[in-house]
Amino acid sequence: MRLRIVAKLGVVLSVVLFCIAVGFYGFTRLSMTDRGREFNLFSLVPSNSIGVLESDNINYFLNDFPQLNYSNELGDFQFPGLFNFILGGLNEYATQKAHGLSSRMSRLLVSFHAPGSPRDQVVYFRMGAGDEKLLADMLQERAPGEFQPKKEKYRGKNIYIYPLNNNEFLAVYSGSGFFVASYQKRLIEEVIDAKEDETALSDDEVFSKVFEKKKSHNFLTLYGRTTSMPFLQNNNRCWSEFDFHMNSDVVYLTGDTFMPDTCSCTSEFVAKMQSVPDVKEDSVVISGNKDSMNGYMDEAIEENDGSGRTLFDECVANLSRDASFMLVADMHKVSENPERFRPYLPPFILENATLFHSFILSTQLSISEDRLSHIMVLTYKD
């Protein structure tokens, strides 16, 4: 699953033609008869999705990321495919107009689907008052000519197909308060099925546990149909969340793994963590043994008190002693041998290991009352 985040979102495809397509569609087709209602976008996401990205304020991340110390280092850290295509185009236009996306339009989802290529994505927007004008202005400024989409019917719903100049097509579907786009018409059909048959992620027994947690404002969360670390995987019914928090020198990813009520997952997780071999070498520490972990932390504290103090030692010394698993690794070492670390890192981090070479990753897993929690900290070295 090719999931990547925390980035300045570049335009990887034809922004101009995207703006033409979305602008024309929003101006001529979008019905906003119920502008005041908060539409639950998860009621549209097909339950077979392998991952979902959610934000209540994508404007915040688009505009604040360039101010961080490591923004230049991660300039190429981005989702491929439709996510960049849409967000890059809309944000570029909205920024030029000095007002950004509306508060509703800034709340969005992106779902990822098997087999996980850049084309296997769906983007979902809430639409509010004024969004039609934004799209119409986009059309007027960038599409002076006529543009005729192809209309197709599916279960009584209209799907509009727009040809793009790179031999791709953009399929769009909308209703009161929402707008959905994908490169693949079949994925839009799955969205319609999920809504009409009430088989969306919002109706999934495990994923619905996500809604029990309150989110702070300006959040960005990635959900994956997996445990927080690959070596713990025991079934495909688990969902893990990764809440992103950023400051000038650190990226935090925190969250829980949600499991079926009927499984004995936590006891299996404990056994798997305890069976992890201890590793202690230059710029790498891995352990699922509490005595070993305490020893590594004590040693790092002693190093910090002497002349051999390093940022790596500080990262080890600052870990919690209540955790059941720890991994601290210089990402430069990870980028040199990614296969070695594949069991311990989420794919969206491992696949960007070379971009994270200027960070130290500190990870801990904790189990309490059948709850598996994780915290991953990327500390900037420079």
Side-chain angles (χ1 to χ4, degrees), residues 20-270:
I20 293 173
V22 176
F24 181 87
Y25 184 81
F27 183 54
T28 60
R29 302 293 181 183
L30 211 59
S31 171
M32 294 300 298
T33 59
D34 189 9
R35 298 174 187 269
R37 184 168 60 92
E38 286 293 333
F39 189 87
N40 179 10
L41 294 177
F42 282 104
S43 67
L44 299 170
V45 180
S47 59
N48 63 359
S49 303
I50 59 178
V52 181
L53 178 71
E54 177 189 16
S55 178
D56 76 330
N57 188 358
I58 200 66
N59 266 333
Y60 174 80
F61 294 95
L62 291 172
N63 297 327
D64 281 28
F65 180 79
Q67 312 305 317
L68 303 176
N69 289 341
Y70 44 79
S71 60
N72 289 335
E73 298 270 353
L74 301 183
D76 294 325
F77 185 80
Q78 53 189 296
F79 283 100
L82 187 63
F83 182 74
N84 271 352
F85 186 36
I86 289 183
L87 266 297
L90 287 177
N91 186 60
E92 180 188 43
Y93 179 82
T95 300
Q96 289 173 355
K97 297 303 178 185
H99 54 64
L101 304 179
S102 76
S103 60
R104 286 201 182 184
M105 203 171 185
S106 188
R107 285 172 276 180
L108 58 84
L109 300 180
V110 183
S111 63
F112 305 90
H113 303 263
S117 79
R119 299 184 71 253
D120 301 315
Q121 302 171 10
V122 183
V123 178
Y124 313 74
F125 286 100
R126 284 197 183 107
M127 301 293 284
D131 294 333
E132 284 178 292
K133 187 176 187 307
L134 172 66
L135 297 174
D137 289 345
M138 199 183 300
L139 169 66
Q140 182 177 354
E141 184 166 303
R142 300 193 177 197
E146 294 184 358
F147 193 88
Q148 295 298 323
K150 176 183 177 183
K151 182 174 75 172
E152 296 190 11
K153 285 279 189 180
Y154 180 75
R155 297 187 65 170
K157 307 298 181 181
N158 292 331
I159 301 175
Y160 292 88
I161 313 295
Y162 298 88
L164 306 176
N165 68 345
N166 56 355
N167 296 320
E168 287 282 11
F169 294 86
L170 190 69
V172 298
Y173 159 61
S174 72
S176 179
F178 69 86
F179 171 85
V180 184
S182 177
Y183 282 143
Q184 301 201 49
K185 175 175 170 282
R186 69 167 181 86
L187 291 179
I188 296 296
E189 291 174 350
E190 290 184 15
V191 168
I192 295 173
D193 287 339
K195 183 176 185 295
E196 296 299 306
D197 298 336
E198 297 184 352
T199 56
L201 274 183
S202 58
D203 304 297
D204 181 88
E205 176 186 0
V206 176
F207 192 84
S208 61
K209 297 179 181 180
V210 167
F211 305 120
E212 298 174 6
K213 296 186 65 176
K214 292 184 178 180
K215 299 281 188 182
S216 60
H217 185 49
N218 295 335
F219 69 85
L220 182 72
T221 303
L222 181 65
Y223 304 99
R225 190 188 291 274
T226 180
T227 51
S228 52
M229 289 194 181
F231 82 94
L232 296 175
Q233 185 69 46
N234 66 345
N235 65 67
N236 63 357
R237 294 194 61 202
C238 292
W239 280 90
S240 291
E241 65 174 349
F242 300 88
D243 287 321
F244 287 82
H245 309 274
M246 295 172 283
N247 62 33
S248 59
D249 298 301
V250 179
V251 180
Y252 298 92
L253 296 91
T254 62
D256 296 319
T257 293
F258 302 94
M259 300 163 279
D261 293 333
T262 56
C263 78
S264 57
C265 302
T266 52
S267 59
E268 296 177 31
F269 293 160
V270 170

